[in-house]
């Protein structure tokens, strides 16, 4: 039987869906969380710092449903604990947004093991391990008609080198992009896996630095990314419109 044609509002709706957004307490993660909540989703946000995670969740609850689940995603055990905490609250989850990230600025002579270990642990290994442990919840939500979704936040720095001494960061984000492709092939058709590679957003990582003017000049739109830009891309991928 032919499936009915959905209205535009239905096509882009995520109302009633449940999402986990890591690093959802600030920056792009918070922008996505706010957009999801305004669109009618129940959102769980994580942060390594329990106090700021709770404060952000309280602020976002003015828009709708938001719950804080603090977690340290730099370790395999921390990723497992977050998945376990979520499973105690939800039998299934529709959307996982792997957004938590770390950066390290140091010239090549000083870019030591501490830099690589910290950045890769969160940006790459954390994405993989959390996905592993949340997988049963995603599979429980997925149907043939409406797959569950994983959205990984990569970076334009993972596509081309930038002007910063962020060797580990760029390499980790390039790894996220390839990992996304690998997971997309492995988890289809019940779960779609996509990456977003944001350009410059006014986050703690880059806004206000000496390269800001040059950075904005290198973008087609000549401006910082906005909340609607982050939320819109994620909502598209999480909705019926992005299911293929």
């Amino acid at each position: 039987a032919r499936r009915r044609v959905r209205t535009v509002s239905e096509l882009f709706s995520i109302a009633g869906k449940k999402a986990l957004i890591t690093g959802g307490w600030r920056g792009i993660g918070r922008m996505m969380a706010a957009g999801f909540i305004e669109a009618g989703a129940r959102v769980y946000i994580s942060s390594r710092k329990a106090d700021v995670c709770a404060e952000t969740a309280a602020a976002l609850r003015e828009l709708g449903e938001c719950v804080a689940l603090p977690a340290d995603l730099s370790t395999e055990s921390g990723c497992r604990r977050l998945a376990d905490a979520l499973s105690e609250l939800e039998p299934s989850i529709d959307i996982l947004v792997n957004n938590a990230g770390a950066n390290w600025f140091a010239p090549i002579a000083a870019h030591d093991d501490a830099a690589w270990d910290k950045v890769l642990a969160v940006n790459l290994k954390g994405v993989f391990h959390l996905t592993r442990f949340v997988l049963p919840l995603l599979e429980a939500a997925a149907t043939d008609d409406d797959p569950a979704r994983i959205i990984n936040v990569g970076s334009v720095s993972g596509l081309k080198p930038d002007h910063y001494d962020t060797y580990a960061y760029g390499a980790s984000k390039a790894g996220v992009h390839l990992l996304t492709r690998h997971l997309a092939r492995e988890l289809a058709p019940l779960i779609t896996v996509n990456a977003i590679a944001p350009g410059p957003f006014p986050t703690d990582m880059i806004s206000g630095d000496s390269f800001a003017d040059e950075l904005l000049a290198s973008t087609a739109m000549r401006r910082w990314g906005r909340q609607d830009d982050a939320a819109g891309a994620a909502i598209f991928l999480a909705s019926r419109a992005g299911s293929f």
Side-chain angles (χ1 to χ4, degrees), residues 82-91 137:
L82 175 56
D84 288 345
L86 184 59
S87 67
E88 292 178 1
L89 300 172
E90 298 288 353
L137 295 176

Side-chain angles (χ1 to χ4, degrees), residues 1-242:
R2 294 182 61 185
R3 293 175 180 168
R4 69 181 181 85
V5 177
R6 289 173 170 78
T7 65
V8 171
S9 61
E10 288 177 312
L11 193 63
F12 292 92
S13 174
I14 59 169
K17 292 201 170 187
K18 296 166 288 186
L20 170 62
I21 301 179
T22 68
W25 67 283
R26 67 174 180 178
I28 291 173
R30 181 167 179 159
M31 294 176 193
M32 291 180 177
F36 275 33
I37 294 166
E38 289 179 324
R42 181 189 308 158
V43 174
Y44 294 85
I45 61 170
S46 74
S47 166
R48 183 172 55 85
K49 300 177 180 178
D51 54 346
V52 296
C53 193
E55 290 171 7
T56 300
L60 290 175
R61 276 196 292 274
E62 296 181 6
L63 305 175
E65 294 184 82
C66 186
V67 178
L69 289 177
D72 181 1
L73 302 180
S74 67
T75 67
E76 183 179 4
S77 60
C79 293
R80 188 189 294 274
R81 281 194 291 271
L82 175 56
D84 288 345
L86 184 59
S87 67
E88 292 178 1
L89 300 172
E90 298 288 353
S92 64
I93 191 164
D94 304 282
I95 307 155
L96 168 63
V97 181
N98 286 306
N99 166 75
N103 205 345
W104 194 289
F105 297 84
I108 192 168
H111 224 85
D112 56 14
D113 266 356
W116 285 96
D117 289 347
K118 175 184 177 181
V119 173
L120 290 179
V122 177
N123 294 9
L124 191 52
K125 291 168 64 178
V127 170
F128 179 72
H129 289 314
L130 185 62
T131 297
R132 285 174 59 211
F133 298 133
V134 174
L135 204 53
L137 295 176
L138 292 166
E139 290 171 339
T143 67
D144 292 337
D145 191 51
D146 188 16
R149 317 298 167 87
I150 297 173
I151 302 170
N152 297 328
V153 178
S155 173
V156 292
S157 296
L159 300 171
K160 61 182 179 63
D162 54 32
H163 295 286
Y164 305 94
D165 290 328
T166 52
Y167 305 98
Y169 180 80
S172 73
K173 291 301 186 178
V176 167
H177 298 164
L178 185 58
L179 178 62
T180 297
R181 293 184 172 102
H182 195 119
L183 291 171
R185 183 183 65 184
E186 181 76 15
L187 301 181
L190 281 180
I191 301 171
T192 69
V193 189
N194 289 279
I196 298 173
F201 277 74
T203 65
D204 292 346
M205 284 187 183
I206 59 173
S207 60
D209 63 58
S210 59
F211 286 111
D213 291 340
E214 184 179 352
L215 186 63
L216 295 183
S218 71
T219 68
M221 299 308 293
R222 304 293 192 271
R223 65 167 174 83
W224 293 107
R226 300 168 184 156
Q227 176 169 318
D228 287 350
D229 301 317
I235 289 171
F236 161 70
L237 290 173
S239 70
R240 170 73 59 181

